[in-house]
Every structure is written in structure tokens, then in C-alpha cells.
Amino acid sequence: MAFYYNEPSHTFSEYLLVPGYSSAQCIPANASLRTPITKFRKGEEPAISMNIPLVSAIMQSVSDDNMAIALAKEGGISFIYGSQTVEQQAEMVTRVKNYKAGFVSSDSNVRPDQTLADILVLKSETGHATVAVTDDGTANGKLVGIVTSRDYRVSRMDPATRISEFMTPIENVIYAKEGISLKEANNVIWDHKLNALPILDNNQRLVAFVFRKDYDSHKENPLELLDTSKRYIVGAGINTKDFAERVPALVEAGADILCIDSSEGFSEWQKLTIEFIRKNYGDSVKVGAGNVVDREGFRFLAEAGADFVKIGIGGGSICITRETKGIGRGQATAVIEVAKARDEYFEETGIYVPICSDGGIVHDYHITLALAMGADFCMLGRYFSRFDESPTNKVMVNGNYMKEYWGEGSARARNWQRYDMGGASKLSFEEGVDSYVPYAGSLHDNLSITLSKVRSTMCNCGALSIPEFQSNARLTLVSSVSIVEGGAHDVVLKDNNITPVK
């Protein structure tokens, strides 16, 4: 006979937080949103933590290299979608890792015998104004000069002009020797009012650049998430089909953390994928797994070696798994049960495996509820798809700007690899839709408001950190009538187009 749960599963909208005592020190400015994303042993620090509890979903319509850069600046991690060729995904990861670093390997290099036309082509490809002139045109050749936009005027120069005729020669270039610290390099940049400082070895060969814009960026984004080499941290999605080819390429490209993208993670396929990673890389490569909705699913993936576990089946705004297959669970109930399982596992083993709530987020306060219920961080798709930084088109629909948004289970994504179907090579039916979401502007502006709400609510509950919030939080189920009461009601909302009667 089938097993029946005694209680119905619930969504985030069915819960509210009951506020608690907050001291005078409990103000949003003092609240920390730092949270682990990889497992760790009791008394130790996680290999990777985030400065905000948000990651972007492994979706074509959400997470490319532009989104990864934008989110890393804010302190979170983007998981670049895996439903593309291995080479394309690895290139995206590489672009993120090269975008910002204390010491950046040059990707704009020419020989002195090339021409202004070559400079213009290179600039159109990379968007970079600073070009290294090396003896052999490589990133590690002997530096003979530098070209910036101040060295030429397109309207006044023949495109055939040789670079050696207008470059700033090495004897006039301020540079530093390999071994200089990042702080010292930035001091040189500021003392000499430079935009870029070349770093050379003892043979005058180019090692790297340090850019003024990177220093400015850090001042503007104090929570930005960087690795030990001062590069942005980036994640990447993998599947249970081509992991033997995809994982090595992503690791080589510099991906900091991987995540198995699957509609349902309580599967031997995920265990085999994790085993491959552990056999070939040990614990040096971090990988999350999922999705699951109960204690058994969490235990299975934790024991298989996952660094974090994702929760949620069918709760995404573009996901139709529940109505097509009849599987899933209310997201709030799933998070609560898996959080209890995580805590039990921690007590038994001394290993803390972070959990991620994936799906079911409609309003900003749902993020806060997910954290209160035990989630260490949330994965969001629709939320991030609305912003300038998402990879989809901005279109006009019925007079309003919208952004395209489609699920990985839709026919448009053609992402059959995320479904464990044995030898199948195509989707037999859809589990996601193709849609639009209202355009919302820049990620930074919207995210600042969202996180302000989270910090404010934490303080209402007397907490200044996520662990403290989870310990202090008191949650109550609300009735359907109470949900109506919680919004604007029994009033006529003001229409700014109405002219007052005098």
C-alpha cells in the first residue's frame, strides 16, 4: 500500500515570522548575510562561503558570464548553464575568471610590426582599450610598448600605420617587477595616475596587468566575492550524461564550484557523477547535487559526497513538473524537513552540508522565510531573469517592457541531459514553459532593496547573522483569510492619473 503523509505540504506564502526582541545593536547595517556554500567539518571553515545567500539558477535564460560577473560583484555566485557545448561553457567560465583579478593575464596583445587596423579589430573583439605590444604578440612575450586610446586618433591616422610608430615605447612605460604585492601595485597606480600597470619578469617578459578599474570596483562593491587570486568566484552546471568530458574542461577553465542540474536528484546517476569527481579530483573540486524534497533524498546525496544539496521539485515559476508528472512537494515543507535532516546529519557525523532552496520564491520575503526555515542560501531563476544582466532579449509586450524567460525543461531549451532517461536523447514531453517576465532594470538596484528587506526582518527577529536567525526564528502557519488580511484591503488604491476635484 502506498505511503501517505499525514499533513499537507505548504508553500512559503502560508507562513509568517513572529517578531522577537531586538536590542539597540540589532540594526540592518550590522546584519551579516554571509553563509557557507560548501560542506565543512565542525570547528573548521568552509572552503567557499558567500557574502549574500543567493545564487542564480542553472538556466539558459538566467546565468551566463555577464550574470556571473554582476552577481559576484554583489557577493553571490552564478552557476553558468550547462545546456550548451562544453567548449562554450568553459569559455564563459574563463571570461569570468579573467574579468577581474589582482593580476590579470593580458588577452589583448600585438606585435610592433602590426598596424592600427589590427588594434581596432582587437578592441572590437575584446572591448579593452589597453593593448600590450610584445615582441611575438603573445601574452607572455617581451614587452616593447603599450597602446592605449590616447596613442592614436582613428580620424587622423592611416589604418595601415605600424604600431611601432605610435605606441608608447617600453622606456616610457611605468611597470613593476614580478613579486610585487597587489597593495604595492595599486600604490604605484595611484602615485603615477595610471590606468594599468604591466608586471614584468626579470627577462622583461609580460606576466600580467594590474588595472585601476579593479581597485575602483572593489571600493564600489565591498561584498564582491573573490578567490585567493582576487578573481571573481563562479559556478557551473553539469549533468549526469557528459560529466567525464565537461568536468575536466570546467575545472581547467577555473570554475570554483559545480552543481549537478537535474529535475530530480534522488538517483544513482547523481551518485555516479559525484563518484567520478571524487575519484579524479578528491575533495578539491566542489560539487552540489539535487534536487530533493525529503530527508531520504538529502541523506542519499550527503552520503554520496555532495558539497551542498538543492531542495525543490516543481516549485519554479516556469516549471510544470507537478502538473505533467504529479511529483513534487510544497517548497516550505520540503525546506523544513531537509533542514532537520541536515542538522541530524551534522550531529551524527560532524559534517555540515549546506542546503539550497531552489524554487517557490514569488516575493522577496519568501527568501527570508526560506532562510528562517533552515536554508543556507536560495537559488533564483525568475528573480534574476528580469534584470539587464540576464542573457535574454528585452521586448515590448502590450506596451510594457518584458524579458524572455524559459525553463530548462522546455522545448526551447532542448536540455534533455538534465533528465535521467537512460539512453534517451530528446525530451518526450515538456516540464517547463516559454514565457516573459516584467523587465526590472539593473541587478544592483533591485538586489539592494531585496537584501535590505532580509536584513530588516532578521533584526525584527533579534538576529544579526543567518545562523542566529535560524535559531531565533518563530514561524506560524496562516489561514487563507489571514493571507488576504496581510495585503492592502478594503481601500481603493490611488491612481496618479486621476485629476483632483477643486
Side-chain angles (χ1 to χ4, degrees), residues 17-18 20-21 458 461-464 466-475:
L17 281 155
V18 176
Y21 171 77
M458 286 170 58
C461 297
L464 288 175
I466 291 175
E468 187 179 15
F469 183 42
Q470 293 168 346
S471 176
N472 291 0
R474 296 181 298 161
L475 293 127

Side-chain angles (χ1 to χ4, degrees), residues 186-375:
N186 280 320
N187 287 337
V188 173
I189 287 174
W190 280 94
D191 290 344
H192 295 276
K193 299 180 180 179
L194 305 174
N195 289 323
L197 178 68
I199 310 298
L200 308 182
D201 67 13
N202 291 330
N203 296 315
Q204 296 294 98
R205 301 185 76 83
L206 182 62
V207 175
F209 274 103
V210 176
F211 290 99
R212 181 190 183 113
K213 69 176 179 64
D214 289 346
Y215 178 87
D216 293 338
S217 174
H218 182 67
K219 289 296 183 182
E220 295 170 2
N221 303 286
L223 294 179
E224 63 183 354
L225 199 58
L226 306 174
D227 64 16
T228 55
S229 299
K230 307 298 183 183
R231 302 176 300 176
Y232 284 137
I233 287 180
V234 60
I238 61 174
N239 61 65
T240 58
K241 296 294 186 294
D242 65 3
F243 55 84
E245 296 79 35
R246 193 171 294 270
V247 170
L250 294 174
V251 171
E252 177 67 23
D256 298 279
I257 185 167
L258 308 175
C259 183
I260 303 172
D261 179 28
S262 176
S263 63
E264 202 280 306
F266 195 174
S267 159
E268 185 179 7
W269 299 103
Q270 297 228 350
K271 182 180 179 182
L272 293 173
T273 303
I274 296 171
E275 285 177 348
F276 169 84
I277 293 172
R278 297 292 173 245
K279 178 181 178 181
N280 289 278
Y281 301 97
D283 290 328
S284 64
V285 171
K286 307 303 179 184
V287 57
N291 285 21
V292 298
V293 293
D294 60 8
R295 178 184 183 277
E296 288 74 16
F298 169 83
R299 295 285 302 212
F300 173 79
L301 293 177
E303 291 167 0
D307 283 289
F308 69 86
V309 174
K310 278 204 298 156
I311 309 161
I313 295 176
S317 61
I318 42 68
C319 184
I320 55 173
T321 295
R322 294 181 190 176
E323 64 184 83
T324 57
K325 297 175 69 175
I327 65 170
R329 201 176 195 188
Q331 189 68 6
T333 299
V335 170
I336 291 168
E337 179 171 323
V338 173
K340 289 179 180 178
R342 176 208 50 208
D343 294 343
E344 290 173 3
Y345 189 77
F346 183 49
E347 286 295 320
E348 292 174 18
T349 66
I351 299 173
Y352 187 93
V353 181
I355 57 174
C356 167
S357 177
D358 177 21
I361 302 295
V362 179
H363 305 291
D364 287 351
Y365 82 92
H366 289 170
I367 296 171
T368 315
L369 287 172
L371 297 175
M373 291 171 180

Side-chain angles (χ1 to χ4, degrees), residues 329-471:
R329 201 176 195 188
Q331 189 68 6
T333 299
V335 170
I336 291 168
E337 179 171 323
V338 173
K340 289 179 180 178
R342 176 208 50 208
D343 294 343
E344 290 173 3
Y345 189 77
F346 183 49
E347 286 295 320
E348 292 174 18
T349 66
I351 299 173
Y352 187 93
V353 181
I355 57 174
C356 167
S357 177
D358 177 21
I361 302 295
V362 179
H363 305 291
D364 287 351
Y365 82 92
H366 289 170
I367 296 171
T368 315
L369 287 172
L371 297 175
M373 291 171 180
D376 295 282
F377 58 99
C378 297
M379 177 173 279
L380 308 176
R382 182 195 61 83
Y383 179 88
F384 287 114
S385 70
R386 304 171 300 147
F387 303 144
D388 291 319
E389 293 81 1
S390 74
T392 63
N393 296 319
K394 183 172 74 171
V395 297
M396 183 74 76
V397 179
N398 297 327
N400 297 307
Y401 281 115
M402 310 288 281
K403 290 276 283 186
E404 294 178 312
Y405 180 46
W406 60 92
E408 289 297 293
S410 68
R412 180 172 183 174
R414 296 189 295 276
N415 187 12
W416 61 269
Q417 294 96 333
R418 73 193 301 267
Y419 300 95
D420 301 323
M421 303 177 295
S425 60
K426 66 178 182 178
L427 291 171
S428 54
F429 56 88
E430 290 185 285
E431 292 188 40
V433 299
D434 198 344
S435 64
Y436 299 105
V437 290
Y439 167 67
S442 76
L443 181 149
H444 174 78
D445 292 344
N446 286 274
L447 189 59
S448 296
I449 296 171
T450 297
L451 296 180
S452 293
K453 294 176 184 178
V454 176
R455 293 188 181 98
S456 180
T457 305
M458 286 170 58
C459 289
N460 291 146
C461 297
L464 288 175
S465 69
I466 291 175
E468 187 179 15
F469 183 42
Q470 293 168 346
S471 176

Side-chain angles (χ1 to χ4, degrees), residues 24-103:
Q25 297 300 313
C26 202
I27 58 175
N30 293 337
S32 169
L33 296 179
R34 190 163 176 80
T35 193
I37 191 172
T38 57
K39 66 183 179 183
F40 58 94
R41 289 190 175 276
K42 188 174 183 178
E44 299 179 356
E45 290 295 319
I48 305 175
S49 291
M50 298 187 294
N51 292 324
I52 64 171
L54 301 179
V55 300
S56 67
I58 311 169
M59 300 174 67
Q60 294 173 8
S61 55
V62 179
S63 298
D64 65 352
D65 48 315
N66 291 322
M67 178 61 72
I69 291 167
L71 189 49
K73 286 181 179 179
E74 304 296 334
I77 295 177
S78 185
F79 284 88
I80 292 177
Y81 68 92
S83 50
Q84 57 180 323
T85 68
V86 173
E87 294 75 19
Q88 289 171 329
Q89 189 184 21
E91 286 173 6
M92 285 189 180
V93 170
T94 299
R95 286 198 289 271
V96 177
K97 301 305 290 185
N98 287 342
Y99 180 83
K100 182 189 188 306
F103 298 91

